[in-house]
Amino acid sequence: ACKRAVDYLKEHWNKINQDSHSLYLLLKVWWLSKAKESLFSGERRTVSFNQKDWQYCLEIVEALMKTQEFYENLSLTYLKGLTNFHLDRIQISLDIFKELENESSSMGRRRILRSYLASNPDGSPRKFMGEVAWRREKPNERGALYVSQLQRKHIPFVPQLFGNPEILKGESLSEFHIAFNFLGPIADPITYYSQPSQKKK
């Protein structure tokens, strides 16, 4: 049913691409048809989207953000940052999330909820390696990692979460995921991720 709805709406794109209600419906049913679950349906979700899928998602999101009803919608800004990250537009993504961090202070707990992980096209979470760029004295405070796969961009991390509170600047941190909340991307221990079959139990 979702696929039929998507096909119908895509067929009439020229008529709906400025209508906020139709575009929002397209985004919801398209995501559901591709991801097999609703948007923002849990924590640390992965999606099996290829580059074409992410590009199409960005097209819908940007069209929605041009409408009066959705141009300041924080969830859409999050999705815009998420899609640009998966399209390897890393600096654009970081800039979007920086803006979102400043605008989302009133969101409460949802602001820090790690809704999605950086994903491979097969739906598995991507694994990264990093080197400590800097850290604060307290292990429960954020530091930053240089991530080689991301052109050595800085990604926040919390030493205590990785069971290595004494890790020093210049030392390596291997095999972590990157999660996204409304503050932006953050290094996430791989032990925090459960396989879909485990999540259902």
Side-chain angles (χ1 to χ4, degrees), residues 55 86 88-89 96 119 128 137:
Q55 185 61 51
H86 283 87
D88 295 322
R89 301 166 185 168
I96 291 169
S119 306
F128 298 86
E137 182 177 348

Side-chain angles (χ1 to χ4, degrees), residues 40-144:
F40 298 107
S41 60
E43 294 185 66
R44 295 182 173 87
R45 315 307 285 184
T46 58
V47 289
S48 53
F49 292 0
N50 58 31
Q51 292 285 289
K52 185 178 179 180
D53 295 327
W54 286 114
Q55 185 61 51
Y56 185 64
C57 183
L58 181 60
E59 183 179 349
I60 303 173
V61 167
E62 290 185 331
L64 261 172
M65 294 182 74
K66 290 177 181 177
T67 67
Q68 184 176 356
E69 293 88 345
F70 286 96
Y71 79 99
E72 290 184 332
N73 185 281
L74 299 183
S75 293
L76 290 180
T77 304
Y78 176 103
L79 287 176
K80 186 177 180 180
L82 185 70
T83 54
N84 274 285
F85 185 96
H86 283 87
L87 290 168
D88 295 322
R89 301 166 185 168
I90 306 302
Q91 189 57 56
I92 292 175
S93 174
L94 295 178
D95 291 343
I96 291 169
F97 276 111
K98 186 63 177 178
E99 176 185 344
L100 183 60
E101 178 183 2
N102 296 331
E103 295 177 351
S104 62
S105 58
S106 63
M107 292 188 69
R109 183 179 180 275
R110 189 185 174 199
R111 191 177 187 226
I112 61 171
L113 197 68
R114 302 181 184 193
S115 299
Y116 289 98
L117 299 178
S119 306
N120 292 308
D122 64 0
S124 62
R126 290 177 62 183
K127 292 181 179 180
F128 298 86
M129 297 180 63
E131 175 188 304
V132 179
W134 59 268
R135 57 158 299 175
R136 294 186 172 90
E137 182 177 348
K138 294 182 179 179
N140 63 343
E141 294 182 334
R142 286 188 174 198

Side-chain angles (χ1 to χ4, degrees), residues 2 29-37 47-50 53:
C2 287
V29 296
W30 177 83
W31 189 281
L32 184 58
S33 70
K34 296 292 296 186
K36 312 306 180 188
E37 61 184 15
V47 289
S48 53
F49 292 0
N50 58 31
D53 295 327

